[in-house]
Coordinates of all heavy atoms in Angstrom, one line a residue:
T995 N -0.1 -8.2 5.9 CA -0.6 -7.1 6.7 C 0.0 -5.8 6.2 O -0.7 -4.8 6.1 CB -0.4 -7.3 8.2 OG1 -0.9 -8.5 8.6 CG2 -1.0 -6.2 9.0
L1002 N -4.8 0.2 2.1 CA -5.7 1.0 2.8 C -5.3 2.5 2.7 O -6.2 3.4 2.6 CB -5.7 0.6 4.3 CG -6.4 -0.7 4.6 CD1 -6.2 -1.1 6.1 CD2 -7.9 -0.7 4.2
E1010 N -10.1 10.8 -0.6 CA -9.9 12.3 -0.4 C -9.9 13.0 -1.8 O -10.4 14.1 -1.9 CB -8.6 12.5 0.4 CG -8.3 14.0 0.7 CD -9.4 14.6 1.6 OE1 -10.0 13.9 2.4 OE2 -9.6 15.9 1.4
L1023 N -3.0 13.7 -5.2 CA -3.5 12.6 -4.4 C -3.7 11.3 -5.2 O -3.3 10.2 -4.7 CB -4.8 13.0 -3.7 CG -4.7 14.1 -2.7 CD1 -6.1 14.5 -2.3 CD2 -4.0 13.6 -1.5
S1040 N 7.5 -9.7 -3.4 CA 8.7 -10.1 -2.8 C 8.6 -11.3 -1.9 O 9.6 -12.0 -1.6 CB 9.3 -8.9 -2.1 OG 8.6 -8.6 -0.9

Side-chain angles (χ1 to χ4, degrees):
T995 303
L1002 289 172
E1010 184 63 29
L1023 288 172
S1040 69

